[in-house]
């Protein structure tokens, strides 16, 4: 029996989970910047 599937799965999870969170954070940041631009009277700085 080889342990290759378990090792590959751990690498996929180690790369995939942080990537998933990074993409979600980027999308949320973009939306927050758009909302802030609508209510900020000072405009872009």
């Amino acid at each position: 029996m080889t342990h290759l599937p378990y090792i590959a799965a751990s690498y996929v999870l180690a790369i995939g989970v942080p990537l998933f969170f990074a993409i979600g954070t980027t999308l949320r940041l973009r939306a927050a910047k758009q909302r802030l631009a609508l209510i900020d009277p000072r405009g872009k700085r």
Side-chain angles (χ1 to χ4, degrees):
M1 179 177 165
T2 178
H3 297 295
L4 186 60
Y6 299 106
I7 295 169
S10 68
Y11 276 103
V12 168
L13 287 174
I15 293 171
V17 171
L19 187 62
F20 173 76
F21 285 129
I23 291 170
T25 302
T26 303
L27 294 175
R28 289 176 55 198
L29 179 62
R30 185 180 301 161
K33 283 183 178 181
Q34 288 175 350
R35 286 194 310 268
L36 179 61
L38 290 175
I39 63 171
D40 190 9
R42 296 174 293 185
K44 287 191 173 185
R45 287 190 165 191

